[in-house]
Amino acid sequence: MRLGWKATNLFGVHLEHGTLRLDWRGAMITGGHKAIGIEPNRILFGNVSGYRNVPGAPSGISIWEFAARGQKP
């Protein structure tokens, strides 16, 4: 994807719990604010930013992969 962002960086969710775990969420699954800027390592949402490549951050699966498993958040 553009600037090196992967689907799980943007739309990632916890493997079992969907969007219930904040530490597993992708940058675009943050809570309804429109993105106002995209940079190589962060996405800006007004007063909030979503970062990728945070040391120790877990990697989940994309929200559509979670949905395809028939699971609900």
Side-chain angles (χ1 to χ4, degrees), residues 1-70:
M1 294 188 126
R2 191 171 183 198
L3 297 177
W5 288 86
K6 297 178 183 174
T8 52
N9 296 134
L10 299 171
F11 306 103
V13 297
H14 189 275
L15 299 167
E16 298 173 11
H17 306 291
T19 61
L20 297 176
R21 290 283 307 272
L22 184 61
D23 54 335
W24 286 73
R25 289 186 187 179
M28 299 300 287
I29 310 291
T30 60
H33 296 288
K34 185 190 297 187
I36 60 169
I38 300 173
E39 299 176 352
N41 288 311
R42 71 178 179 156
I43 297 178
L44 310 165
F45 299 97
N47 63 345
V48 177
S49 295
Y51 292 87
R52 69 174 180 157
N53 300 332
V54 175
S59 179
I61 59 174
S62 67
I63 195 166
W64 51 85
E65 188 177 339
F66 181 83
R69 294 179 174 188

